Amino acid sequence: MVRGRLLIATPELEDPNFRRAVVLVLEHNADGALGLVLNRPTDTTLVGALPRWADLGAAPAVVFVGGPVQPEAAIGLARSAGDGEPDGFAPLFDRLGTVDLDRDPVDVVPQVEAVRVYVGYAGWAPGQLDGELAAHGWYVVDLFADDLWTSRPGALWRSVLGRQSGPLRLVAGFPDDPSQN
């Protein structure tokens, strides 16, 4: 199981939804898997989409595309301040959880330090992610807290790969278009 870890798309993964994606796996069990693509910021500002939550938005305070499933749904990923679990906060792991974006943010402050908002999510049917992992479609690496809150989400694929050891580190330098190599 890869819950709480990152899936890094291999350069060969050409699905446009996941090309060079960095996915945080929120759940992975016999029923399937669910994750959020961390490196797809949009031009939609948080102040424009959810103004009440803008003050808690981690820079860049924009809405992210979390994946191709249910793009009309929004998920608020939050970092707990460790001062208890306020109403509207559902813990996941390592001080991370989801917040109910329909609630007033005052209900979760000061217990929540930062929020990122994602539209849609990445989802896999039972056994589907396991099959993709067995086929080497993804690299599985450890999550660093800074990965979630980076101010440069567009550079996340290269930066996460660049901190790995051995041959995986070399992948960070792969050109966007291998024919340009």
Side-chain angles (χ1 to χ4, degrees):
M1 300 296 170
V2 293
R3 181 177 191 252
R5 298 191 73 201
L6 296 177
L7 300 178
I8 310 297
T10 64
E12 295 82 20
L13 186 60
E14 291 297 322
D15 179 333
N17 293 306
F18 297 110
R19 186 172 187 286
R20 301 228 170 172
V22 177
V23 179
L24 172 62
V25 180
L26 302 179
E27 195 59 61
H28 182 210
N29 56 38
D31 295 327
L34 181 138
L36 293 172
V37 178
L38 301 178
N39 60 331
R40 300 278 195 272
T42 69
D43 292 331
T44 303
T45 64
L46 199 50
V47 76
L50 292 166
R52 297 184 314 161
W53 288 92
D55 288 343
L56 285 173
V62 297
V63 175
F64 286 69
V65 175
V69 181
Q70 286 191 312
E72 69 284 353
I75 296 174
L77 187 65
R79 178 176 57 214
S80 166
D83 297 333
E85 294 174 13
D87 289 340
F89 180 83
L92 293 166
F93 46 82
D94 299 333
R95 292 182 50 211
L96 290 178
T98 58
V99 290
D100 181 349
L101 296 171
D102 290 329
R103 294 185 72 109
D104 189 328
V106 171
D107 294 341
V108 298
V109 175
Q111 292 92 350
V112 169
E113 295 175 340
V115 173
R116 280 256 161 100
V117 175
Y118 298 86
V119 290
Y121 61 89
W124 293 267
Q128 183 181 4
L129 179 57
D130 298 312
E132 291 179 16
L133 293 171
H136 308 289
W138 299 96
Y139 304 120
V140 180
V141 302
D142 290 333
L143 168 70
F144 286 17
D146 292 346
D147 297 335
L148 298 173
W149 316 109
T150 179
S151 61
R152 298 181 57 231
L156 194 57
W157 187 85
R158 288 189 191 281
S159 70
V160 170
L161 285 169
R163 72 170 183 243
Q164 305 307 310
S165 61
L168 197 51
R169 181 184 191 122
L170 298 175
V171 177
F174 277 31
D176 288 336
D177 181 356
S179 68
Q180 303 269 330
N181 197 9

